[in-house]
Amino acid sequence: MRQPRVVVTGLGALTPLGLDVPSYWQGLAGGVSGADWITNFDASKFKTKFACELKGFDPRNHFDRKEARKLDPFCQYAMVSADEALKDSGLNLEQTDTNRVGVVMGSGIGGMNVFQQEVKNFVEGNGTPRFNPFFIPKMIIDLTSGNISIKHGLKGPNYSSVSACATSSNCIIDAYMLLKQGYADVMLAGGSEAAILEVGIGGFNGMKALSENNDNYKTASRPFDKTRDGFVMGEGGGCLILETYEHAMNRGATIYAELAGIGMTADAFHITAPSGEGAERSMTLALQDADLPLSSVDYINVHGTSTPVGDIAESNAIKNVFGEHAYKLNISSTKSMTGHLLGAAGAIEAIASILAMKHNVIPPTINHSVEDPDCDLNYTFNTAQEREVNVAISNTFGFGGHNATLLFKKIEA
């Protein structure tokens, strides 16, 4: 049997550049930095005092007070982005077999906010074991998918995948495979993260992973720049509505793009440092899955975290896969604007890739000033570029050596 094609029919995004997809794209195309001083907590004693926080997000605009208290911010972000994606898709759930609508939403870390607060309460309570009854349901990652399912009555496959910063790309890949195998007609897929708090910033500071460029915080996320010194933390969520091409056509849906190929590999090398070899194989597998030649790819939204080692490894991987065509590609790291959303990065960057195809505009890699001879590709520095984009790749890589690649193409009848 021929497997069904998988298409994207809805998008939802909650990002440091805007609280919905239109404002997110406006920020990307305009080269806006989402970085600012941390307001979620007093960061004055931390090595890194800035991040890309959500701006103006108020859970009371989406949940009643009682419901909001039962949800960690990471779960709120997932649910809000899913709501937008569902609305955008035009899917009428009353006229849809919800037994065949599933959810795979993930998070790299999950409920850090509630975990930190409950441990703090325990310690300050002189060890008295009094824990909030919603501690565990607020903390565990799979409650993103569970709460979305409960809210909308979605009874298809429902779970969460976790692969650090590759999490939401792996969730999208899982949804793709479930649709291909006939387990569902429609899937909600993506991820969320809310790690801008003391243990999040402190933990990544301890690893020497974050930029400490407090004097230039607005431009500290500078992928492929010689002076880069680490990533900038972001927060938010992203969700895609995926469905079979036949199902989308039968209901007259507007189709953004086809998810035509996927790649997944492991570096089997180091818990935090990328080998580059795994990224090469992941991109190659996605091209093979889509049955497309190297020359068909126009744009790569790279993982590009602004770390000294990672940016070089990914650049070399692209050159090894694409050869001479690597220099004809447009490449950009939208993390230069959004910061690194960890487990949510893959979802919002998949959305950026799809919108680049829709608008035929490559979002830039901002904050570049000093050339790095080891990074010599076209990274679309500082200003968006117009270009016909028919095929786009989105790369995400996670601690543990996880690599995930999504390949999107403009829809063909």
Side-chain angles (χ1 to χ4, degrees):
M1 285 180 58
R2 185 177 180 181
Q3 290 186 326
R5 295 160 67 188
V6 175
V7 296
V8 181
T9 58
L11 304 173
L14 191 65
T15 79
L17 301 185
L19 304 183
D20 55 28
V21 169
S23 57
Y24 172 46
W25 175 251
Q26 183 179 12
L28 288 178
V32 176
S33 171
D36 213 328
W37 299 118
I38 291 172
T39 63
N40 288 354
F41 67 95
D42 180 5
S44 60
K45 295 182 180 179
F46 285 74
K47 293 178 181 178
T48 297
K49 308 178 195 317
F50 58 93
C52 292
E53 295 177 331
L54 293 182
K55 297 162 185 66
F57 178 76
D58 187 343
R60 294 173 297 182
N61 293 332
H62 306 278
F63 310 95
D64 64 41
R65 188 168 66 90
K66 185 177 180 181
E67 184 181 15
R69 290 177 61 189
K70 298 177 183 178
L71 301 169
D72 188 88
F74 91 99
C75 196
Q76 295 175 10
Y77 301 164
M79 295 177 72
V80 171
S81 63
D83 286 349
E84 183 186 11
L86 276 171
K87 183 178 180 180
D88 184 46
S89 74
L91 187 68
N92 186 336
L93 292 175
E94 294 182 357
Q95 298 176 5
T96 302
D97 181 1
T98 52
N99 292 317
R100 295 189 56 77
V101 181
V103 187
V104 185
M105 295 283 286
S107 177
I109 302 175
M112 289 188 78
N113 286 268
V114 67
F115 192 92
Q116 175 179 284
Q117 188 59 51
E118 288 298 310
V119 171
K120 182 180 178 183
N121 291 346
F122 174 72
V123 172
E124 292 179 349
N126 296 317
T128 302
R130 294 175 182 170
F131 287 87
N132 190 307
F134 291 103
F135 173 28
I136 301 301
K138 287 176 71 173
M139 181 189 70
I140 54 178
I141 289 170
D142 64 293
L143 261 291
T144 53
S145 294
N147 278 309
I148 292 167
S149 165
I150 292 165
K151 179 176 181 177
H152 298 286
L154 310 179
K155 299 180 179 180
N158 188 280
Y159 61 94
S160 296
S161 289
V162 179
S163 52
C165 303
T167 289
S168 50
S169 290
N170 276 124
C171 289
I172 293 166
I173 287 171
D174 282 6
Y176 168 89
M177 293 191 294
L178 289 165
L179 291 166
K180 287 277 190 181
Q181 293 296 321
Y183 286 96
D185 298 321
V186 182
M187 293 293 301
L188 285 71
S192 61
E193 207 76 82
I196 303 176
L197 70 165
E198 291 90 335
V199 295
I201 297 296
F204 281 106
N205 269 157
M207 293 178 65
K208 305 295 184 183
L210 293 182
S211 170
E212 299 176 11
N213 193 350
N214 296 293
D215 292 337
N216 301 286
Y217 65 90
K218 274 288 185 185
T219 63
S221 183
R222 48 185 72 173
F224 309 106
D225 189 280
K226 183 70 173 177
T227 64
R228 64 191 182 276
D229 71 325
F231 74 81
V232 177
M233 185 85 79
E235 62 179 353
C239 180
L240 282 68
I241 307 298
L242 305 176
E243 55 188 299
T244 64
Y245 177 73
E246 181 180 14
H247 188 274
M249 292 300 291
N250 285 343
R251 70 179 185 88
T254 298
I255 296 174
Y256 281 101
E258 179 176 356
L259 177 53
I262 56 103
M264 296 178 287
T265 65
D267 285 352
F269 175 67
H270 190 276
I271 60 170
T272 58
S275 70
E277 182 272 339
E280 292 177 32
R281 288 187 294 111
S282 186
M283 287 184 278
T284 299
L285 288 170
L287 285 160
Q288 291 173 349
D289 189 36
D291 194 23
L292 289 174
L294 301 173
S295 58
S296 67
V297 179
D298 303 296
Y299 170 53
I300 301 179
N301 187 299
V302 292
H303 189 56
T305 56
S306 187
T307 57
V309 174
D311 290 1
I312 294 173
E314 189 171 9
S315 294
N316 289 338
I318 291 169
K319 286 184 276 191
N320 289 340
V321 171
F322 288 93
E324 291 184 5
H325 187 63
Y327 294 89
K328 300 175 183 178
L329 295 165
N330 270 84
I331 295 165
S332 69
S333 171
T334 47
K335 288 184 180 73
S336 61
M337 295 174 276
T338 64
H340 191 353
L341 269 67
L342 307 180
I348 68 162
E349 289 162 15
I351 291 169
S353 303
I354 291 166
L355 294 177
M357 286 198 296
K358 176 183 177 181
H359 298 286
N360 290 312
V361 171
I362 309 294
T365 304
I366 66 170
N367 305 325
H368 179 261
S369 61
V370 181
E371 297 289 337
D372 184 343
D374 292 319
C375 300
D376 61 347
L377 299 173
N378 176 13
Y379 303 101
T380 321
F381 282 134
N382 297 328
T383 305
Q385 294 180 17
E386 292 186 3
R387 172 175 177 162
E388 181 77 16
V389 183
N390 293 306
V391 177
I393 279 176
S394 179
N395 281 334
T396 47
F397 314 132
F399 284 174
H402 314 297
N403 306 297
T405 299
L406 306 172
L407 187 151
F408 299 97
K409 69 176 184 178
K410 284 183 176 174
I411 191 67
E412 300 172 0

